[in-house]
Protein backbone atom coordinates (compact mmCIF):
# COMPACT_ATOMS: atom_id res chain seq x y z
CA UNK A 1 0.00 0.00 0.00
CA UNK A 2 2.97 2.32 0.59
CA UNK A 3 4.09 1.62 -2.98
CA UNK A 4 0.56 2.36 -4.18
CA UNK A 5 0.45 5.69 -2.33
CA UNK A 6 3.85 6.67 -3.74
CA UNK A 7 2.75 5.75 -7.25
CA UNK A 8 -0.57 7.58 -6.99
CA UNK A 9 1.12 10.67 -5.51
CA UNK A 10 3.48 10.75 -8.48
CA UNK A 11 0.68 10.12 -10.99
CA UNK A 12 -1.31 13.02 -9.53
CA UNK A 13 1.44 15.55 -8.73
CA UNK A 14 3.33 15.33 -12.02
CA UNK A 15 0.50 16.34 -14.40
CA UNK A 16 -0.81 18.94 -11.93
CA UNK A 17 2.63 20.56 -11.72
CA UNK A 18 2.91 20.46 -15.52
CA UNK A 19 -0.50 22.07 -16.07
CA UNK A 20 0.31 24.79 -13.50
CA UNK A 21 3.62 25.58 -15.21
CA UNK A 22 2.02 25.94 -18.63
CA UNK A 23 -0.81 28.07 -17.24
CA UNK A 24 1.69 30.39 -15.52
CA UNK A 25 3.63 30.70 -18.77
CA UNK A 26 0.46 31.48 -20.73
CA UNK A 27 -0.44 34.15 -18.18
CA UNK A 28 2.97 35.84 -18.02
CA UNK A 29 4.35 35.63 -21.58
CA UNK A 30 3.33 36.59 -25.08
CA UNK A 31 3.25 33.41 -27.15
CA UNK A 32 2.61 32.66 -30.78
CA UNK A 33 -0.52 30.82 -31.87
CA UNK A 34 1.58 27.71 -32.56
CA UNK A 35 3.11 27.80 -29.06
CA UNK A 36 -0.31 28.27 -27.47
CA UNK A 37 -1.74 25.29 -29.39
CA UNK A 38 1.21 23.18 -28.29
CA UNK A 39 0.67 24.19 -24.64
CA UNK A 40 -3.05 23.40 -24.87
CA UNK A 41 -2.27 19.99 -26.36
CA UNK A 42 0.15 19.13 -23.55
CA UNK A 43 -2.29 20.30 -20.87
CA UNK A 44 -5.05 18.18 -22.39
CA UNK A 45 -2.73 15.15 -22.34
CA UNK A 46 -1.92 15.84 -18.68
CA UNK A 47 -5.63 16.13 -17.93
CA UNK A 48 -6.21 12.75 -19.61
CA UNK A 49 -3.47 11.27 -17.43
CA UNK A 50 -5.10 12.66 -14.28
CA UNK A 51 -8.49 11.39 -15.34
CA UNK A 52 -7.06 7.95 -16.07
CA UNK A 53 -5.48 7.70 -12.62
CA UNK A 54 -8.69 8.71 -10.86
CA UNK A 55 -10.68 6.25 -13.00
CA UNK A 56 -8.35 3.38 -12.06
CA UNK A 57 -8.68 4.15 -8.35
CA UNK A 58 -12.48 4.34 -8.55
CA UNK A 59 -12.74 1.13 -10.60
CA UNK A 60 -10.47 -0.70 -8.17
CA UNK A 61 -12.87 0.21 -5.39
CA UNK A 62 -15.80 -1.07 -7.43
CA UNK A 63 -13.90 -4.25 -8.29
CA UNK A 64 -13.89 -5.31 -4.64
CA UNK A 65 -17.66 -5.57 -4.61
CA UNK A 66 -19.95 -7.74 -6.69
CA UNK A 67 -21.85 -5.77 -9.30
CA UNK A 68 -25.63 -5.93 -9.50
CA UNK A 69 -26.46 -8.54 -12.10
CA UNK A 70 -29.89 -7.05 -12.61
CA UNK A 71 -28.16 -4.45 -14.80
CA UNK A 72 -26.45 -7.05 -16.97
CA UNK A 73 -27.27 -7.47 -20.62
CA UNK A 74 -26.11 -9.38 -23.67
CA UNK A 75 -22.99 -7.60 -24.91
CA UNK A 76 -21.27 -7.84 -28.30
CA UNK A 77 -17.79 -8.58 -26.93
CA UNK A 78 -16.19 -8.76 -30.38
CA UNK A 79 -17.46 -5.25 -31.05
CA UNK A 80 -15.97 -3.97 -27.78
CA UNK A 81 -12.59 -5.47 -28.68
CA UNK A 82 -12.54 -4.00 -32.20
CA UNK A 83 -13.58 -0.57 -30.90
CA UNK A 84 -10.97 -0.59 -28.12
CA UNK A 85 -8.17 -1.57 -30.49
CA UNK A 86 -9.04 1.22 -32.90
CA UNK A 87 -9.36 3.85 -30.14
CA UNK A 88 -6.03 2.81 -28.60
CA UNK A 89 -4.34 2.99 -32.00
CA UNK A 90 -5.66 6.50 -32.55
CA UNK A 91 -4.87 7.64 -29.02
CA UNK A 92 -1.23 6.59 -29.26
CA UNK A 93 -0.85 7.52 -32.97
CA UNK A 94 0.19 3.96 -33.86
CA UNK A 95 0.47 2.61 -37.39
CA UNK A 96 -1.79 -0.37 -38.26
CA UNK A 97 1.10 -2.85 -38.07
CA UNK A 98 1.95 -1.87 -34.47
CA UNK A 99 -1.42 -2.91 -33.05
CA UNK A 100 -3.24 -5.65 -34.97
CA UNK A 101 -6.54 -7.41 -34.43
CA UNK A 102 -5.82 -10.65 -36.25
CA UNK A 103 -9.18 -12.36 -35.86
CA UNK A 104 -12.43 -10.62 -36.79
CA UNK A 105 -15.24 -13.15 -36.17
CA UNK A 106 -17.90 -13.35 -38.86
CA UNK A 107 -20.57 -13.37 -36.14
CA UNK A 108 -21.02 -11.43 -32.94
CA UNK A 109 -19.47 -13.03 -29.86
CA UNK A 110 -21.99 -12.40 -27.08
CA UNK A 111 -21.28 -12.19 -23.35
CA UNK A 112 -23.76 -11.68 -20.54
CA UNK A 113 -22.59 -8.84 -18.34
CA UNK A 114 -21.89 -5.18 -17.74
CA UNK A 115 -20.68 -3.55 -20.99
CA UNK A 116 -18.72 -0.80 -19.24
CA UNK A 117 -16.85 -3.27 -17.03
CA UNK A 118 -16.02 -5.49 -20.00
CA UNK A 119 -14.81 -2.46 -21.95
CA UNK A 120 -12.58 -1.51 -19.00
CA UNK A 121 -11.03 -4.99 -18.85
CA UNK A 122 -10.21 -5.00 -22.57
CA UNK A 123 -8.87 -1.44 -22.43
CA UNK A 124 -6.56 -2.23 -19.50
CA UNK A 125 -5.05 -5.23 -21.30
CA UNK A 126 -4.48 -3.38 -24.58
CA UNK A 127 -3.17 -0.25 -22.84
CA UNK A 128 -0.74 -2.37 -20.77
CA UNK A 129 0.61 -3.97 -23.93
CA UNK A 130 1.28 -0.54 -25.42
CA UNK A 131 2.88 0.81 -22.23
CA UNK A 132 5.26 -2.12 -21.79
CA UNK A 133 6.28 -2.57 -25.42
CA UNK A 134 8.98 0.08 -25.46
CA UNK A 135 9.71 2.09 -28.59
CA UNK A 136 9.05 -0.69 -31.11
CA UNK A 137 5.48 -1.84 -30.71
CA UNK A 138 4.38 -5.18 -32.12
CA UNK A 139 1.08 -6.11 -30.46
CA UNK A 140 -1.34 -8.78 -31.63
CA UNK A 141 -4.90 -9.09 -30.33
CA UNK A 142 -6.64 -12.36 -31.07
CA UNK A 143 -10.22 -13.47 -30.39
CA UNK A 144 -10.89 -17.20 -30.26
CA UNK A 145 -13.79 -19.52 -29.52
CA UNK A 146 -12.14 -22.83 -28.52
CA UNK A 147 -15.62 -24.24 -27.97
CA UNK A 148 -19.18 -22.98 -28.27
CA UNK A 149 -19.31 -21.91 -24.60
CA UNK A 150 -16.03 -19.97 -24.30
CA UNK A 151 -14.45 -16.78 -25.62
CA UNK A 152 -10.71 -16.16 -25.33
CA UNK A 153 -9.19 -12.73 -25.81
CA UNK A 154 -5.40 -12.89 -26.10
CA UNK A 155 -3.19 -9.79 -26.11
CA UNK A 156 0.43 -10.52 -27.02
CA UNK A 157 3.33 -8.08 -27.07
CA UNK A 158 7.07 -8.31 -27.73
CA UNK A 159 7.95 -5.95 -24.89
CA UNK A 160 9.81 -6.06 -21.59
CA UNK A 161 8.36 -9.40 -20.45
CA UNK A 162 7.70 -10.70 -16.94
CA UNK A 163 9.81 -13.01 -14.73
CA UNK A 164 7.95 -16.37 -14.47
CA UNK A 165 7.94 -16.11 -10.67
CA UNK A 166 5.84 -12.93 -10.91
CA UNK A 167 3.11 -14.17 -13.26
CA UNK A 168 0.58 -14.93 -10.53
CA UNK A 169 1.40 -11.93 -8.35
CA UNK A 170 0.84 -9.26 -11.01
CA UNK A 171 -2.95 -9.58 -10.65
CA UNK A 172 -2.84 -8.65 -6.95
CA UNK A 173 -4.07 -5.24 -5.89
CA UNK A 174 -1.27 -2.61 -5.75
CA UNK A 175 1.36 -5.12 -6.96
CA UNK A 176 3.99 -4.02 -9.49
CA UNK A 177 6.89 -6.09 -10.81
CA UNK A 178 10.21 -4.88 -9.39
CA UNK A 179 12.33 -4.83 -12.55
CA UNK A 180 14.26 -1.96 -14.09
CA UNK A 181 12.52 -2.21 -17.48
CA UNK A 182 8.98 -2.27 -16.07
CA UNK A 183 9.86 0.20 -13.33
CA UNK A 184 10.37 2.96 -15.87
CA UNK A 185 6.66 2.77 -16.71
CA UNK A 186 4.58 4.60 -14.13
CA UNK A 187 1.33 3.16 -12.80
CA UNK A 188 -0.75 2.39 -9.74
CA UNK A 189 -0.63 -1.41 -9.72
CA UNK A 190 -4.40 -1.59 -10.14
CA UNK A 191 -4.98 -2.31 -13.84
CA UNK A 192 -4.53 -6.08 -13.82
CA UNK A 193 -6.32 -6.44 -10.47
CA UNK A 194 -9.31 -4.77 -12.11
CA UNK A 195 -9.08 -7.06 -15.16
CA UNK A 196 -9.11 -10.24 -13.07
CA UNK A 197 -11.89 -8.96 -10.78
CA UNK A 198 -14.10 -8.18 -13.79
CA UNK A 199 -13.30 -11.52 -15.41
CA UNK A 200 -14.20 -13.49 -12.30
CA UNK A 201 -17.36 -11.48 -11.72
CA UNK A 202 -18.45 -12.49 -15.23
CA UNK A 203 -17.71 -16.16 -14.63
CA UNK A 204 -14.34 -16.11 -16.35
CA UNK A 205 -10.65 -15.75 -15.58
CA UNK A 206 -7.54 -13.76 -16.55
CA UNK A 207 -3.97 -15.00 -16.62
CA UNK A 208 -0.55 -14.13 -18.03
CA UNK A 209 2.26 -15.95 -19.80
CA UNK A 210 5.84 -14.86 -20.43
CA UNK A 211 9.15 -16.59 -21.06
CA UNK A 212 10.97 -13.97 -19.02
CA UNK A 213 12.40 -10.47 -19.05
CA UNK A 214 12.84 -9.06 -22.55
CA UNK A 215 10.76 -11.82 -24.18
CA UNK A 216 7.31 -10.28 -24.31
CA UNK A 217 4.06 -11.26 -22.63
CA UNK A 218 0.67 -12.69 -23.46
CA UNK A 219 -2.43 -11.91 -21.41
CA UNK A 220 -5.57 -14.00 -21.78
CA UNK A 221 -9.09 -13.06 -20.76
CA UNK A 222 -11.49 -16.02 -20.73
CA UNK A 223 -15.24 -15.41 -20.61
CA UNK A 224 -18.36 -17.60 -20.92
CA UNK A 225 -20.07 -17.12 -24.26
CA UNK A 226 -23.78 -16.70 -24.83
CA UNK A 227 -24.27 -19.08 -27.74
CA UNK A 228 -27.36 -19.10 -29.90
CA UNK A 229 -28.06 -22.02 -32.22
Amino acid sequence: QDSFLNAVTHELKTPIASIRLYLETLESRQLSDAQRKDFYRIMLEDTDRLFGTVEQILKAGEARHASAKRNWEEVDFSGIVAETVELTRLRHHLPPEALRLTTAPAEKLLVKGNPQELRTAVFNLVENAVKYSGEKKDIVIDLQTPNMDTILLQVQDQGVGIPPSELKRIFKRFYRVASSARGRVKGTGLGLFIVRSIARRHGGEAFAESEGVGRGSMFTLRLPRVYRV
Side-chain angles (χ1 to χ4, degrees):
Q1 292 187 22
D2 287 342
S3 298
F4 166 72
L5 289 174
N6 289 335
V8 168
T9 300
H10 181 275
E11 288 294 294
L12 294 176
K13 282 182 65 177
T14 301
I16 289 173
S18 173
I19 291 169
R20 182 180 179 85
L21 175 63
Y22 283 111
L23 286 173
E24 288 174 344
T25 304
L26 285 165
E27 184 181 46
S28 61
R29 290 176 50 189
Q30 292 293 326
L31 301 172
S32 67
D33 286 344
Q35 287 175 313
R36 284 178 175 273
K37 286 181 179 178
D38 199 38
F39 280 22
Y40 294 146
R41 176 186 58 79
I42 294 170
M43 287 191 289
L44 284 171
E45 289 175 354
D46 284 331
T47 304
D48 287 342
R49 180 174 170 183
L50 276 172
F51 183 75
T53 300
V54 173
E55 280 282 286
Q56 287 285 69
I57 296 169
L58 292 174
K59 289 183 185 301
E62 294 169 1
R64 300 184 66 189
H65 307 286
S67 63
K69 292 190 177 183
R70 64 178 179 276
N71 296 324
W72 283 18
E73 59 189 78
E74 287 190 1
V75 181
D76 176 12
F77 188 70
S78 49
I80 285 177
V81 172
E83 176 186 304
T84 302
V85 169
E86 186 58 28
L87 288 174
T88 305
R89 186 186 291 126
L90 291 172
R91 180 183 179 194
H92 291 279
H93 310 289
L94 299 175
E97 64 272 15
L99 182 60
R100 310 188 304 279
L101 178 58
T102 58
T103 304
E107 58 182 332
K108 292 180 179 180
L109 301 182
L110 300 177
V111 173
K112 185 81 169 179
N114 181 306
Q116 189 55 50
E117 288 189 2
L118 293 168
R119 189 173 285 106
T120 295
V122 175
F123 172 80
N124 282 359
L125 289 181
V126 178
E127 187 73 10
N128 256 23
V130 174
K131 283 168 55 178
Y132 291 105
S133 284
E135 293 298 319
K136 183 174 174 56
K137 298 185 172 41
D138 182 11
I139 302 163
V140 175
I141 292 92
D142 189 32
L143 266 176
Q144 301 177 18
T145 50
N147 57 61
M148 66 176 61
D149 300 320
T150 305
I151 297 173
L152 292 182
L153 169 67
Q154 295 184 318
V155 180
Q156 184 163 18
D157 65 67
Q158 304 300 319
V160 300
I162 305 167
S165 60
E166 304 279 1
L167 289 173
K168 292 184 179 180
R169 298 178 185 175
I170 57 175
F171 290 95
K172 292 182 178 179
R173 192 162 52 110
F174 307 139
Y175 191 81
R176 301 196 75 214
V177 175
S179 75
S180 58
R182 297 184 75 86
R184 288 194 292 269
V185 180
K186 301 302 179 183
T188 59
L190 293 173
L192 292 176
F193 164 75
I194 293 170
V195 171
R196 175 167 279 182
S197 298
I198 291 171
R200 289 179 172 175
R201 191 149 60 239
H202 286 77
E205 188 55 274
F207 51 92
E209 300 170 70
S210 177
E211 295 183 4
V213 175
R215 305 188 69 176
S217 308
M218 183 167 73
F219 287 85
T220 300
L221 175 63
R222 185 180 72 238
L223 294 169
R225 179 185 181 187
V226 176
Y227 185 76
R228 302 200 178 286
V229 180

